[in-house]
C-alpha cells in the first residue's frame, strides 16, 4: 500500500475547510491534519450576524462537526496556533511547542479585525467582531450595559449594530465618511439605507473621526476630532480587516499586504499554498466568501493533480444581511468619466436601481428596495454582457406591449454554467442534475448535495426557482419537515419505518430508507442513534460516533478546550465526605474554578481532556450527566423534613426520582423540581416535570422551561400517593421518549402534541400508563454509569482521552 502524503492545513475556517471538502471529492491521496486556533470545529462565520441578532444558535452555524472530521479521517487539532513553519524540514510548530510534519501545507489563517490604534483601544468593552467569542462578549455586554457604539458603517458594522439593537441596546454607528457603506454603495442608495436603518432603531454619527476612547478599566465613551463626545459602554470596531500573515512572515514566505500567491494558490515556497482572506492574489485581498471558495476550487484541483483553469481573480457582489433591508451591489458601482449609467429612483416606493456600463458593457450595479434583478445583474457583470434594447426594456420595465413590467423568469434564462449560488460556486446545471439525476425534491436535499444556499442564504429564492422550473408542480417550497437534508421523511415516518423494516443500525436505516448521503449528516446521525436506542432498548448497540462531542466525552467541553465535570448530587444533596473529595481533586488537578450550578450541584471547571478519567476515578461519584440529553437535575426544596410550611417530603421524593430516572436517554435534556408545598421554592413551573406538594398529595406539572424560550408548565394531574406520582412521572417521560422529535424539549412537545393527549395516555388510561411505565423500566434496566464504563475499558480510555502528542517522525 502506498503511503499517503501528509497534508496540513493551518486555519480551520471557511476557506481552508471548503478547500478540503472540495479536495475530498477528488482524491483520498492525503492524510490530513487541520490546526485551528479557535476551540470550535468549522463554523459559518457569515452566520455570526444571525447568532448575534438571536435568530440562529452556535449549534445552527456549525458546518462540519467533530464527527465529520472523524468520519473523513481528518486529524483535527483545535485551540492551538501554528507559530512557525520550517520550510526546509517541512514542519509546523504550534504554540504549545508540539510539531506536525507535512508534505504539502495550506495556510488559511483568514484576517484579523483592524483595531484603530487610538488611546483607549485596549480598554475592557472594546472589541472587533470576528468570531464566536466576540459574539458571546457582545451578547453578555448587552445583558449588562445599555449604550453601544459601532465604529465603521460598512457591512460588518451595520450587521453588528442591528444585532445589538435586537439585543436591546441603544446603538450609534460612528462612520468616517458622510454616507454609509461607501465601499459598496453610491450616495443615493446609502442615504436610503440610512433612513431605513434609522427606522429600525439604529442611530448614526456620520463624518466623525474618533480620536480616543475614554474610561479607566472599562470603556465609557468616545471623543471625536470635532471635540464632541459619545457615551458608550461597549465599542465594536468594524473598520475593516487585515490579512493574518503572521505565520507566513515568521517563516520566510513572501508577504505583501497578504500572503502572495500565484494563480494556483502557490506561495513563494514550494509545497506551501495559501487560500482565503490571508492571501493576496494579483494585488487583491478579498473579504467575502465567494472569491475564497473560487480560490479553494482551484487549489483543491491543484492538490489532487486534476487539470484546472488558473484562478484569475473575482468580481465581488454584496448583500447586507439585515431583515427588511434589501440592498445589493456588484462590480463597479461608482461611475467615472468613462461610464454611462441607467438610474431609476422611486422615492415613493423606496426603490433605487443603478446600472453602470462602459462601452455598452454592463460593469456594475446598485439596487435598493427591490433586489429581484440581483442574480441577473451579477451574472451580466461577470460575463461582460452588452446592454441591448431588449435588455434595457426588461431591466427598466419599460418595454413590451403592456409597457414591460412582467418579471423575467431568471431561472429559465440562466445557461447551464451560470452560477446560482455565488458563495459556493454552484451552477444551474449542478442544481438541475441534483433534481433530475439524484431525484432530490426539497431545498434541504439540494443544499446538502450541492452546497447551494449553505452560506449567506441570499441565493435561496433563485435555487428554489431553478427547482420549480425542473419540478413544476412537484416542487413545494413548504414541504413537510424532514429530519434533515439527507431525507424527505419526517420523524414519525422514519421511526415507523425503523419498526416495520426491523432496522437496527444507523447505517441500515440510511441505506434502507434511501438517504441521499449514506453516511448521514451531523443532524440525522444523533437523531437516528436516539430513535434506535429508544425503539430497541435491550439490543441496540449505542454508536458513540453518532453522538455530540460532549456526550462522547461524558463531560462538557468549554470554549478554551477544557472540560467541566459535574458529579451527581441526588436531589441537590451532598455529604461532607463528597465535598472534601471534590475539593481535594480540584486542588490536585489545579482547576481554575469550582462553581455552584443552577441545578443545585457543583461544577468542576477547567479539567484537561487527558485528566478526565483520573478525575472521575478519584472522585468515585456517579456522573451527573450535565452534558447529556438525559435527566439532568432534580431540584428540591427542603420540604417537610425541615421547613415549617412543608406538607410533603420533597427531599426524599427528589432523591428517589433522580436515582430512578438517571442515565436513560431522552430526546433532549430533562429537568425536574420537587417542592414540599405550593410556595414552590424550587421553581417547579419552569421545569420539564415540576412536582408540588399539597395537603392531600402531589400536583404534577409538565412542559416548563426557564431557558431561551421560557414557558410555564401545565398542570397535568393531582395524585394522592408517592407510588402514583412515580408511575405517572415514568409514563410521561416514556411517552415523551416515544413521541417527541429528537432535540425537542418538553415545552415544545407539550405544545405540539397537546396536553390533552398526554393526559389521556399517562393519567386517564391506566392500562396505557402502566405499559408506558413498564417500557421505561426496561429502558432503565440497561443503563450504566458512563464514567465507570470508561474506567473499566482501557482501550476506550486510551482512544478518547490520552493526550495526542504530535511529534516529528
Ligand atoms: C460577522 C461576519 C459576517 C460576515 N458576513 C459575510 C457575508 O454575508 N458574505 C460574505 O461573503 N462574507 C461574510 N463575511 C466574511 C467571511 O466570513 C470571510 O470572508 C470568511 O470567513 C473568510 O474565510 P477564511 O477561511 O479566509 O478565514 P476565517 O474564516 O477567519 O478562518 C481562519 C481561521 O484560521 C484560524 N487561525 C488564524 N491564525 C491561525 C494560526 N496561526 N494557527 C491556527 N489557526 C489560525 C482563525 O482562528 C480562524 O478560525 C462575514 C464575516 C463576519 C465576521
Ligand atoms: N453581508 C456581507 O457580505 C458581510 C457582512 C459582514 C462582514 N463582511 C465582510 O467582513 C469584512 C469586514 O467588514 P467591515 O465592514 O469591517 O469592512 P469594510 O472595509 O467593508 O468597512 C469598514 C468601514 O469602516 C469605515 N471606517 C474606516 N475607518 C473608520 C474610522 N476611523 N471611523 C469610522 N469609520 C471608519 C470605512 O469607511 C468603511 O466603510 C469585510 O471584508 C466585509 O466584506 C461582509
Ligand atoms: S416549597 Fe414550601 S416546603 Fe418547600 S421550602 Fe418552600 S415553603 Fe418550605
Ligand atoms: S449566494 Fe450565499 S449561499 Fe448562495
Amino acid at each position: 500500500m502506498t503511503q499517503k502524503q501528509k497534508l496540513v492545513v493551518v486555519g480551520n475556517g471557511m476557506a481552508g475547510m471548503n478547500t478540503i471538502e472540495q479536495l475530498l471529492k477528488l482524491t483520498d491521496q492525503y492524510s490530513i491534519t487541520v490546526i485551528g486556533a479557535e476551540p470550535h470545529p468549522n463554523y459559518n462565520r457569515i452566520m455570526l450576524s444571525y447568532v448575534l441578532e438571536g435568530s440562529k444558535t452556535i449549534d445552527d452555524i456549525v458546518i462540519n462537526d467533530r464527527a465529520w472530521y472523524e468520519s473523513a479521517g481528518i486529524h483535527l487539532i483545535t485551540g492551538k496556533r501554528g507559530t512557525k513553519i520550517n520550510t526546509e524540514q517541512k514542519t509546523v510548530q504550534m504554540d504549545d511547542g508540539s510539531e506536525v510534519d507535512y508534505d504539502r501545507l495550506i495556510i488559511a489563517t483568514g484576517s484579523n479585525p483592524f483595531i484603530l490604534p487610538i488611546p483607549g483601544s485596549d480598554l475592557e468593552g472594546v472589541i472587533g467582531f470576528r468570531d464566536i467569542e466576540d459574539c458571546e462578549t457582545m451578547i453578555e455586554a448587552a445583558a449588562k450595559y445599555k449604550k453601544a457604539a459601532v465604529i465603521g458603517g460598512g457591512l460588518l458594522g451595520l450587521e453588528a449594530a442591528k444585532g445589538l439593537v435586537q439585543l436591546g441596546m441603544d446603538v450609534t454607528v460612528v462612520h468616517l465618511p458622510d454616507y454609509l457603506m461607501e465601499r459598496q454603495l453610491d450616495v443615493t442608495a446609502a442615504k436610503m439605507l440610512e433612513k431605513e436603518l434609522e427606522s429600525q432603531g439604529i442611530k448614526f454619527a456620520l463624518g466623525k473621526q474618533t480620536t480616543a476612547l475614554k474610561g479607566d478599566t472599562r470603556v465609557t465613551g468616545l471623543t471625536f476630532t470635532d471635540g464632541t463626545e459619545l457615551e458608550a459602554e461597549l465599542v465594536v470596531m468594524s473598520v475593516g480587516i487585515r490579512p493574518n500573515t503572521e505565520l507566513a512572515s515568521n517563516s520566510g514566505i513572501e508577504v505583501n499586504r497578504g500572503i502572495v500567491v500565484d494563480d494556483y494558490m502557490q506561495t513563494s515556497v514550494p509545497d506551501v499554498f495559501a487560500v482565503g482572506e490571508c492571501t493576496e492574489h494579483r494585488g487583491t485581498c478579498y473579504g467575502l466568501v465567494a472569491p475564497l471558495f473560487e480560490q479553494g476550487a482551484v487549489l483543491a484541483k491543484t492538490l489532487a493533480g486534476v487539470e484546472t483553469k488558473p484562478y484569475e481573480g473575482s468580481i465581488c457582489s454584496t448583500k447586507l444581511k439585515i431583515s427588511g433591508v434589501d440592498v445589493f451591489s456588484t462590480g463597479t458601482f461608482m461611475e467615472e468619466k468613462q461610464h454611462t449609467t441607467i438610474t431609476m429612483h422611486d422615492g415613493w416606493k423606496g426603490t433605487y436601481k443603478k446600472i453602470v456600463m462602459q462601452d455598452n458593457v454592463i460593469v456594475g450595479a446598485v439596487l435598493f428596495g427591490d433586489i429581484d434583478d440581483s442574480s441577473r445583474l451579477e451574472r451580466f457583470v461577470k460575463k461582460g454582457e452588452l446592454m441591448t434594447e431588449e435588455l434595457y426594456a426588461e431591466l427598466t420595465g419599460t418595454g413590451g406591449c403592456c409597457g414591460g413590467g412582467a418579471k423575467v423568469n431568471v431561472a429559465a434564462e440562466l445557461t447551464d454554467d451560470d452560477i446560482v449560488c455565488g458563495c459556493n460556486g454552484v451552477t444551474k446545471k449542478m442544481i438541475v442534475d441534483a433534481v433530475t439525476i439524484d431525484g432530490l425534491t426539497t431545498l434541504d436535499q439540494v443544499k446538502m448535495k450541492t452546497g447551494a444556499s449553505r452560506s449567506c442564504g441570499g441565493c435561496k429564492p433563485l435555487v428554489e426557482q431553478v427547482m420549480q422550473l425542473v419540478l413544476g408542480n412537484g416542487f413545494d417550497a413548504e414541504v413537510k419537515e424532514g429530519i434533515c437534508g439527507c431525507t424527505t421523511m419526517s420523524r414519525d415516518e422514519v421511526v415507523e419505518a425503523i419498526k416495520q423494516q426491523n432496522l437496527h443500525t444507523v447505517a441500515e436505516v440510511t441505506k434502507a430508507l434511501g438517504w441521499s448521503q449514506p453516511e448521514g449528516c451531523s443532524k440525522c446521525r444523533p437523531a437516528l442513534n436516539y430513535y434506535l436506542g429508544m425503539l430497541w432498548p435491550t439490543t441496540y448497540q449505542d454508536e458513540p460516533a453518532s453522538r455530540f462531542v460532549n456526550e462522547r466525552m461524558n463531560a462538557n467541553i468549554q470554549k478554551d478546550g477544557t472540560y467541566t465535570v459535574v458529579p451527581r448530587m441526588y436531589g441537590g444533596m451532598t455529604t461532607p465526605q463528597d465535598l472534601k473529595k471534590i475539593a481535594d481533586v480540584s486542588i490536585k488537578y489545579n482547576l481554575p474554578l469550582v462553581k455552584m450550578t443552577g441545578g443545585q450541584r457543583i461544577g468542576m471547571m477547567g479539567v484537561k481532556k487527558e485528566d478526565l478519567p483520573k478525575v472521575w476515578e478519584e472522585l468515585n461519584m456517579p456522573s451527573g450527566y450535565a452534558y447529556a440529553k438525559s435527566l439532568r437535575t432534580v431540584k428540591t426544596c427542603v420540604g417537610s423534613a425541615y421547613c415549617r410550611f412543608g406538607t410533603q417530603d420533597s427531599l426524599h421524593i427528589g432523591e428517589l426520582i433522580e436515582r430512578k430516572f438517571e442515565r436513560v436517554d431522552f430526546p433532549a435534556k430533562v429537568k425536574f423540581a420537587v417542592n414540599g408545598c405550593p410556595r414552590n421554592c424550587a421553581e417547579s413551573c419552569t421545569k420539564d416535570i415540576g412536582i408540588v406538594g399539597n395537603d392531600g398529595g402531589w400536583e404534577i406539572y409538565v412542559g416548563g422551561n426557564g431557558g431561551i424560550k421560557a414557558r410555564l408548565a401545565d398542570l397535568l394531574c393531582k395524585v394522592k400517593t408517592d407510588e402514583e406520582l412515580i408511575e405517572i412521572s415514568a409514563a410521561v417521560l416514556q411517552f415523551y421518549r416515544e413521541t417527541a422529535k429528537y432535540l425537542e424539549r418538553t415545552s415544545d412537545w407539550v405544545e405540539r402534541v397537546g396536553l390533552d393527549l398526554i393526559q389521556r395516555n399517562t393519567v386517564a388510561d391506566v392500562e396505557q400508563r402502566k405499559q408506558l411505565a413498564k417500557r421505561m423500566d426496561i429502558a432503565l434496566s440497561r443503563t450504566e454509569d458512563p464514567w465507570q464504563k470508561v474506567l473499566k475499558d482501557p482501550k476506550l480510555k486510551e482512544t478518547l482521552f490520552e493526550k495526542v502528542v504530535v511529534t516529528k517522525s
Side-chain angles (χ1 to χ4, degrees), residues 537-538 630-631 657-666 726 730 733-734 737 772-784:
T538 56
S630 190
L631 175 65
I657 284 174
E658 191 157 350
R659 286 192 188 276
K660 179 163 172 75
F661 297 118
E662 65 173 330
R663 297 182 190 151
V664 75
D665 282 333
F666 288 109
I726 300 294
L733 289 173
Q734 183 64 14
R737 294 183 79 233
L772 282 164
K774 201 164 151 200
R775 292 204 287 280
M776 170 56 90
D777 282 341
I778 294 171
L780 286 165
S781 68
R782 290 274 299 192
T783 59
E784 181 184 358

Side-chain angles (χ1 to χ4, degrees), residues 346-415:
D346 184 334
W348 186 67
K349 279 196 176 162
T351 58
Y352 176 69
K353 179 184 278 181
K354 178 167 87 176
I355 300 166
V356 184
M357 289 156 298
Q358 181 169 353
D359 300 329
N360 253 355
V361 172
I362 302 177
V363 293
V366 180
L367 301 176
F368 186 90
D370 174 358
I371 58 166
D372 282 359
D373 282 329
S374 58
S375 310
R376 305 179 79 204
L377 285 165
E378 187 171 358
R379 187 159 48 89
F380 294 158
V381 171
K382 283 198 173 140
K383 286 188 159 176
E385 189 92 6
L386 268 183
M387 182 60 79
T388 59
E389 283 296 334
E390 294 76 27
L391 200 52
Y392 176 87
E394 277 171 20
L395 289 169
T396 56
T398 52
C401 59
C402 320
K407 287 273 176 207
V408 172
N409 184 332
V410 181
E413 203 191 43
L414 294 173
T415 65

Side-chain angles (χ1 to χ4, degrees), residues 87 155 159 203 251 270 297 311 352 369 424 471 544 550 637 661:
T87 53
L155 290 157
E159 290 180 15
K203 297 176 183 159
S251 313
Y311 173 68
Y352 176 69
N424 298 294
L471 286 165
N550 283 352
C637 74
F661 297 118

Side-chain angles (χ1 to χ4, degrees), residues 694-762:
N694 60 28
D695 233 352
W698 301 97
E699 289 167 358
I700 305 178
Y701 291 80
V702 291
N705 192 324
I708 216 159
K709 212 172 111 194
R711 181 180 193 278
L712 287 182
D714 294 312
L715 177 63
L716 179 77
C717 62
K718 295 183 183 187
V719 295
K720 291 211 163 47
T721 65
D722 293 357
E723 290 69 33
E724 270 180 296
L725 170 67
I726 300 294
E727 187 174 274
I728 291 179
S729 299
V732 172
L733 289 173
Q734 183 64 14
F735 195 51
Y736 168 55
R737 294 183 79 233
E738 292 179 8
T739 56
K741 297 177 196 166
Y742 183 64
L743 298 185
E744 187 177 36
R745 291 293 303 269
T746 58
S747 46
D748 291 325
W749 171 69
V750 169
E751 293 206 344
R752 184 172 61 83
V753 302
L755 186 66
D756 193 42
L757 184 82
I758 301 170
Q759 267 165 342
R760 265 187 278 134
N761 280 277
T762 63

Side-chain angles (χ1 to χ4, degrees), residues 592-611:
L593 183 69
V594 179
K595 155 114 186 46
M596 299 303 142
T597 72
Q600 297 183 332
R601 48 199 192 162
I602 293 176
M604 301 163 70
M605 324 274 296
V607 183
K608 293 196 193 89
K609 182 168 106 174
E610 59 274 19
D611 288 342

